[in-house]
């Protein structure tokens, strides 16, 4: 084992550990048993992840539900399949769900756990970079609805997060970069996270890009730990997104609209986020909110990691704007944007004139 960092996400009485290390799956069952009182575990996974890692979780008291792979299946019908399996196995309130996979599985399995018999325990075993740095931490669980992304869901914290960095070596380049988009997001909002320590993630990303792109183990596990600590700091201040937590949506207002307009089949979530972040930097520039040097530094960082920053097609700006108006981030019929206000700091604004927003689409 390379290292096992335990980050306590102190969401008051619902704190839980985040394990980041290597070969954690060798003793995953012991870890899972330590953090729940379950007699039975229902492992929720998909057709891609099960053949890779399913075997590691097989025990007498683990059962599986293997779902089709893809964001297009992140919906209420697939959620029902998880619930049906839980009922057919007669899962009791003491039992637990385990999410084995990326963010799609984590969000759906967590949501199923939150509503099955009014809520049972669940454990996140994230297997993509995106899910290890972001979606497995913080308790947002959801499925998509025809009206928009993650429109049906809950805030429901897991009992533990177990991130084995070895799973990242079966991830293809596109999916690894998808995770890096969310990593860069933390660098752009770092100061506003108000973490106890200053991690200098931006500089870390600038200096260590070779090691990160090569998936060098020490560097990647440190990277995941920094992201989890930054996210924990935000969630600890505002678990249910009454204010502060919205900064984690940096770039997401545009991102969710691009994902929806393409029926979730053109961009990965991370690709949409990196495009969305570029759009936000451009918007900030049009509004004279960002100085040139910082703008260039941010765009360079996106380019260093070769992240997608332009859309693959031209979309009708009116249509994209219309989608934005039905997003969860709308309050009092106003669209919330997270805008850079100074280096590594952001502010939430809901009064941006439509013409500035649509100009860059
Ligand atoms: P994903 O779950 O679709 O996984 C990406 C692909 O990688 C899938 O094909 C999956 O089967 C495959 N895969 C997973 N682990 C693998 C491995 N170790 N080796 C090989 N292939 C593997 O996508 P994602 O990027 O992990 O997550 C995106 C989802 O997360 C979106 O639905 C997004 O809305 C959600 N999300 C949620 C939060 C949150 O706070 N809850 C935050 C960010 C994103
Ligand atoms: N990924 C956004 C959040 O967790 O709030």
């Amino acid at each position: 084992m390379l290292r096992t960092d335990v980050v306590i996400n102190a969401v008051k009485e619902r704190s839980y550990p985040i394990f980041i290390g290597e070969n954690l799956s060798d003793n995953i069952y012991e870890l899972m048993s330590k953090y729940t009182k379950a007699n039975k575990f229902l492992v929720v996974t998909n057709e891609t992840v099960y053949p890779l890692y399913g075997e590691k979780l097989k025990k007498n008291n683990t059962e599986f539900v293997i779902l089709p792979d893809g964001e297009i299946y992140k919906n209420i019908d697939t959620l029902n399949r998880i619930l049906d399996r839980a009922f057919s196995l007669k899962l009791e309130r003491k039992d637990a769900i385990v999410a084995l996979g990326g963010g799609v599985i984590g969000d759906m399995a967590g949501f199923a756990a939150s509503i099955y018999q009014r809520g049972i325990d669940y454990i996140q075993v994230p297997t993509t970079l995106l899910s290890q740095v972001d979606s497995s931490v913080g308790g947002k669980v959801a499925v998509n609805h025809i009206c928009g992304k993650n429109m049906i869901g809950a805030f429901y914290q897991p009992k533990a997060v177990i991130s084995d960095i070895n799973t990242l070596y079966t991830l293809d380049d596109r999916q690894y970069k998808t995770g890096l988009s969310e990593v860069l997001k933390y660098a752009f909002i770092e100061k506003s996270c108000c973490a106890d320590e200053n991690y200098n993630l931006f500089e870390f990303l600038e200096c260590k890009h070779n090691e990160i792109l090569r998936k060098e183990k020490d560097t990647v596990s440190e990277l995941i730990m920094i992201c989890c600590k930054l996210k924990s700091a935000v969630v600890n201040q505002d678990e249910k997104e009454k204010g502060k937590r919205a900064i984690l949506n940096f770039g997401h207002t545009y991102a969710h609209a691009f994902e929806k307009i393409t029926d979730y089949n053109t961009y990965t979530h991370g690709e949409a986020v990196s495009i969305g972040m570029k759009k936000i930097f451009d918007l900030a520039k049009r509004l004279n909110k960002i100085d040139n040097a910082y703008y260039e530094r941010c765009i360079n960082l996106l380019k260093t990691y070769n992240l997608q920053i332009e859309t693959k097609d031209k979309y009708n700006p009116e249509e994209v704007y219309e989608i934005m108006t039905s997003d969860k981030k709308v309050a009092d019929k106003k669209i919330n944007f997270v805008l850079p206000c100074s280096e590594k700091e952001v502010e939430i604004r809901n009064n941006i004139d439509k013409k500035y927003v649509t100009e860059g689409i």
Side-chain angles (χ1 to χ4, degrees), residues 19-80:
F19 295 93
I20 303 158
E22 207 185 355
N23 300 327
L24 287 175
S25 40
D26 290 349
N27 47 15
I28 198 158
Y29 183 74
E30 286 67 32
L31 282 179
M32 281 169 15
S33 303
K34 191 168 165 197
Y35 291 96
T36 75
K37 293 192 169 60
N39 293 321
K40 222 185 270 177
F41 293 97
L42 172 59
V43 181
V44 180
T45 187
N46 72 21
E47 292 158 350
T48 308
V49 177
Y50 177 74
L52 294 168
Y53 303 108
E55 205 61 42
K56 297 263 184 199
L57 271 78
K58 267 195 184 151
K59 284 266 174 188
N60 287 342
N61 58 352
T62 51
E63 300 285 349
F64 287 78
V65 54
I66 301 167
L67 303 173
D69 185 2
E71 181 79 31
I72 52 162
Y73 298 105
K74 188 180 168 182
N75 56 35
I76 209 100
D77 294 333
T78 316
L79 178 79
N80 250 327

Side-chain angles (χ1 to χ4, degrees), residues 46 48-49 52-53 69-71 74 101-105 107 127-131 134-137 139-141 144 149-150 167-172 175 178-179 182 185 231 245 252 256 259 268-270:
N46 72 21
T48 308
V49 177
L52 294 168
Y53 303 108
D69 185 2
E71 181 79 31
K74 188 180 168 182
V104 169
I105 287 294
D107 281 12
T127 60
T128 62
L129 181 61
L130 183 140
S131 54
D134 193 351
S135 61
S136 64
V137 177
K140 272 191 183 175
V141 293
N144 301 331
K149 195 165 159 69
N150 297 330
T167 59
L168 301 180
Y169 295 95
T170 52
L171 209 58
D172 66 26
Q175 293 301 341
T178 260
E182 297 278 14
K185 171 191 82 179
K231 180 153 186 183
R245 184 166 179 165
H252 285 57
H256 285 174
E259 282 185 273
T268 65
H269 178 66

Side-chain angles (χ1 to χ4, degrees), residues 47-323:
E47 292 158 350
T48 308
V49 177
Y50 177 74
L52 294 168
Y53 303 108
E55 205 61 42
K56 297 263 184 199
L57 271 78
K58 267 195 184 151
K59 284 266 174 188
N60 287 342
N61 58 352
T62 51
E63 300 285 349
F64 287 78
V65 54
I66 301 167
L67 303 173
D69 185 2
E71 181 79 31
I72 52 162
Y73 298 105
K74 188 180 168 182
N75 56 35
I76 209 100
D77 294 333
T78 316
L79 178 79
N80 250 327
R81 282 186 55 181
I82 305 174
L83 297 172
D84 286 347
R85 183 89 174 111
F87 285 117
S88 72
L89 290 167
K90 296 193 165 45
L91 234 59
E92 295 177 0
R93 274 190 148 160
K94 230 177 117 183
D95 295 329
I97 282 179
V98 178
L100 173 70
V104 169
I105 287 294
D107 281 12
M108 282 197 293
F111 188 33
S114 79
I115 54 176
Y116 181 75
Q117 296 192 4
R118 296 210 176 89
I120 60 171
D121 288 350
Y122 78 109
I123 289 186
Q124 290 275 13
V125 185
T127 60
T128 62
L129 181 61
L130 183 140
S131 54
Q132 295 185 354
V133 297
D134 193 351
S135 61
S136 64
V137 177
K140 272 191 183 175
V141 293
V143 293
N144 301 331
H145 183 266
I146 190 134
C147 284
K149 195 165 159 69
N150 297 330
M151 282 300 218
I152 311 168
F155 292 94
Y156 195 66
Q157 304 293 340
K159 288 291 168 192
V161 179
I162 304 170
S163 288
D164 189 331
I165 61 163
N166 279 349
T167 59
L168 301 180
Y169 295 95
T170 52
L171 209 58
D172 66 26
D173 191 47
R174 184 178 184 203
Q175 293 301 341
Y176 187 63
K177 287 213 185 115
T178 260
L180 288 173
S181 292
E182 297 278 14
V183 169
L184 265 64
K185 171 191 82 179
Y186 290 114
F188 300 141
I189 65 169
E190 192 172 356
K191 273 197 202 158
S192 300
C193 293
C194 303
D196 293 339
E197 280 173 73
N198 177 11
Y199 299 105
N200 271 326
L201 178 60
F202 205 123
E203 286 82 351
F204 186 86
L205 289 169
E206 286 178 326
C207 297
K208 299 268 187 184
H209 64 273
N210 284 325
E211 291 88 334
I212 292 170
L213 287 169
R214 278 202 312 265
K215 300 189 190 170
E216 201 277 323
K217 281 183 181 172
D218 277 323
T219 311
V220 170
S221 60
E222 176 147 15
L223 186 68
I224 297 168
M225 187 194 66
I226 294 172
C227 293
C228 288
K229 285 190 171 175
L230 287 169
K231 180 153 186 183
S232 297
V234 176
V235 174
N236 291 342
Q237 293 165 69
D238 175 24
E239 183 189 3
K240 300 211 168 149
E241 203 167 307
K242 304 278 185 224
K244 178 102 192 174
R245 184 166 179 165
I247 67 168
L248 295 172
N249 297 327
F250 183 69
H252 285 57
T253 308
Y254 281 101
H256 285 174
F258 291 131
E259 282 185 273
K260 172 137 195 331
I261 204 166
T262 53
D263 290 329
Y264 306 103
N265 64 20
T266 304
Y267 305 107
T268 65
H269 178 66
E271 285 166 351
V273 168
S274 50
I275 296 167
M277 292 194 292
K278 165 74 162 50
K279 297 278 179 218
I280 283 292
F281 286 123
D282 290 346
L283 176 63
K285 213 171 172 201
R286 286 195 292 282
L287 295 167
N288 282 324
K289 291 285 300 174
I290 188 168
D291 73 60
N292 268 337
Y294 181 57
Y295 173 88
E296 290 302 334
R297 205 174 151 209
C298 295
I299 303 302
N300 275 339
L301 195 64
L302 288 163
K303 287 184 179 163
T304 301
Y305 285 90
N306 204 10
L307 300 186
Q308 178 120 19
I309 52 174
E310 301 299 341
T311 54
K312 293 181 181 171
D313 256 314
K314 186 86 190 117
Y315 307 110
N316 181 337
E318 289 298 324
E319 257 181 75
V320 174
Y321 193 82
E322 181 56 32
I323 295 174

